[in-house]
Amino acid sequence: MATAAENNAMRRAITLAARGLGATSPNPVVGCVILDAAGEQAGEGFHQRAGGPHAEIHALREAGERARGGTAFVTLEPCNHTGRTGPCAQALTEAGVSRVVYAVGDPNPQATGGADTLRAAGIQVEQGLLADEAETGNTAWLTSVRLGRPYVLWKYAATLDGRIAAADATSRWITSPEARADVHRLRAEADAVVVGSGTARADDPQLGVRGIEGASQPLRVVVDTGATAVRPGARVLDDTAPTLIAVADDAEAGHLPEEVVLRLPRAAAGPGLDIHALLAALHGRGVRSVLLEGGPVLAGAFVAAGAVDTVVGYLAPVLLGAGPAALADAGISTISRALRLDVTETVRLGPDLRITAVPVPARKGN
Ligand SMILES: NC(=O)c1ccc[n+]([C@@H]2O[C@H](COP(=O)([O-])OP(=O)(O)OC[C@H]3O[C@@H](n4cnc5c(N)ncnc54)[C@H](OP(=O)(O)O)[C@@H]3O)[C@@H](O)[C@H]2O)c1
């Protein structure tokens, strides 16, 4: 059984790890806390950005000589490979820690093996402390490693009767300033924000993070098959963040800056572009987490493609009675094929409700 101090150390490491969300891809977020031989905190750190030092290195630097004989608490198995930085297993060994406790094993075939290396060096190694919490904090990266595509969080804002715009297409603003500020946090934590051409045409969204100091800006992506929705001067083409306009292989896109055009195959069946090809192209550019901001037609295509990992709905106590629903056709025509979800969190944001839910894993035979 872990002591209260050990639980606190790992919980602190998980909190620290979250500070890297949105800035570390293609790497995971990782936090580390080092207790000295007397059990006092000697150092802490987190992986701040891809290419920068790993969490363990920051924590070891802060701990200095006090790491010797101490214990390192790490949210993810220390890496074993030399990438842009040296292996953390070796750094922990050289610093003289006598014990390493990590929460979650590293599923990345290139980096795994750190625990074995540490054991071979005579260090006591334990896995699993607060593993569920640490895994939740690293969901995006772990999902992307498991599935070989970016993790996708679909977010929408709707009235209590499930509408995302009025019958005349006006939608600003359904939810409160508190809910809208929360969306900027989601943007800051994501590597890319994706919308469809319908949303680009209706709203001319800027899609950047605003109101969060020091936040890293996501890649902005508009899925615009015929290259007709995003015109020169569109807010998404401003220079505050990188942008990609995903268009069909054969689209006429001469009016767009060449560097923003991403050419993709059309969907094999149905309208628009191939969603899997889009996700593969983003993954190839280091994107490990996508915030899908709609609208309903594109979200329906993602659901139909089995490419939504988490749903975040902001529900406002407002009724419209007419207007588009949050989700359009998702290839579900009968109740037995409904996509069922588990609610993992409900939070009150000002007058609104934020509901987070994840698809229930398909049962065999379904
Ligand atoms: N409240 C909210 O949370 C929220 C969020 C976003 C938008 N909205 C509202 O939603 C409305 C726009 O929604 P929308 O559903 O019309 O537009 P949308 O989902 O943003 O875009 C749909 C378009 O995306 C393109 N697309 C590309 N690949 C696709 C694929 N594989 N499958 C399906 N479509 C694909 C299609 O046009 P092309 O093939 O011609 O490119 C399609 O018509 C606006 O009124 C906006 O204000 C509300």
Side-chain angles (χ1 to χ4, degrees):
M1 255 281 275
T3 65
E6 290 174 341
N7 275 323
N8 287 343
M10 187 62 86
R11 195 155 283 125
R12 173 72 185 152
I14 292 169
T15 303
L16 287 167
R19 288 167 59 180
L21 282 168
T24 63
S25 287
N27 297 339
V29 293
V30 185
C32 177
V33 167
I34 293 174
L35 301 188
D36 64 16
E40 298 294 327
Q41 181 165 326
E44 64 175 32
F46 66 100
H47 186 39
Q48 297 172 6
R49 56 180 174 82
H54 290 183
E56 296 91 324
I57 306 304
H58 283 296
L60 286 171
R61 275 185 199 153
E62 195 174 295
E65 264 311 297
R66 288 175 67 199
R68 200 159 292 283
T71 301
F73 293 83
V74 199
T75 56
L76 189 73
E77 180 181 354
C79 75
N80 199 32
H81 79 307
T82 305
R84 280 182 276 189
T85 59
C88 292
Q90 189 186 328
L92 288 161
T93 306
E94 284 167 5
V97 301
S98 58
R99 184 168 162 244
V100 172
V101 179
Y102 66 93
V104 179
D106 192 330
N108 185 351
Q110 282 178 330
T112 194
D116 292 342
T117 301
L118 289 164
R119 278 195 195 95
I123 294 170
Q124 189 187 335
V125 180
E126 292 155 43
Q127 177 186 355
L129 181 61
L130 302 186
D132 288 349
E133 280 175 50
E135 191 156 333
T136 300
N138 225 340
T139 288
W141 183 82
L142 290 167
T143 303
S144 76
V145 171
R146 210 172 57 242
L147 301 179
R149 63 151 172 85
Y151 161 86
V152 178
L153 186 156
W154 168 47
K155 155 267 152 188
Y156 67 89
T159 62
L160 202 52
D161 57 330
R163 300 181 191 280
I164 52 87
D168 68 354
T170 52
S171 63
R172 287 186 170 156
W173 294 107
I174 287 173
T175 48
S176 62
E178 291 91 333
R180 300 204 305 272
D182 198 58
V183 172
H184 283 274
R185 177 189 58 80
L186 289 185
R187 286 183 181 175
E189 291 179 357
D191 296 335
V193 175
V194 175
V195 296
S197 58
T199 300
R201 209 172 268 122
D203 299 343
D204 186 20
Q206 196 265 350
L207 299 181
V209 181
R210 296 184 294 278
I212 302 177
E213 219 185 288
S216 45
Q217 292 292 340
L219 171 68
R220 303 173 293 182
V221 182
V222 180
V223 191
D224 183 10
T225 314
T228 56
V230 179
R231 309 303 302 177
R235 293 171 71 217
V236 78
L237 293 176
D238 71 16
D239 59 7
T240 58
T243 301
L244 285 177
I245 311 299
V247 306
D249 285 327
D250 56 356
E252 171 44 62
H255 55 290
L256 294 171
E258 210 176 302
E259 66 278 9
V260 308
V261 175
L262 173 66
R263 293 199 174 270
L264 293 174
R266 291 175 185 271
L273 298 177
D274 183 323
I275 299 299
H276 294 292
L278 168 67
L279 289 173
L282 294 178
H283 192 262
R285 288 167 185 249
V287 169
R288 296 294 176 266
S289 65
V290 162
L291 174 64
L292 174 63
E293 290 208 24
V297 169
L298 188 65
F302 269 74
V303 170
V308 170
D309 302 301
T310 300
V311 177
V312 173
Y314 294 88
L315 286 188
V318 177
L319 298 177
L320 274 167
L327 190 67
D329 184 11
I332 300 165
S333 56
T334 184
I335 194 73
S336 63
R337 309 289 300 172
L339 179 61
R340 305 221 171 247
L341 309 170
D342 275 332
V343 172
T344 56
E345 191 187 48
T346 56
V347 175
R348 196 62 199 259
L349 290 171
D352 305 325
L353 201 56
R354 184 185 71 205
I355 302 180
T356 304
V358 296
V360 176
R363 271 174 293 160
K364 279 206 174 109
N366 269 8

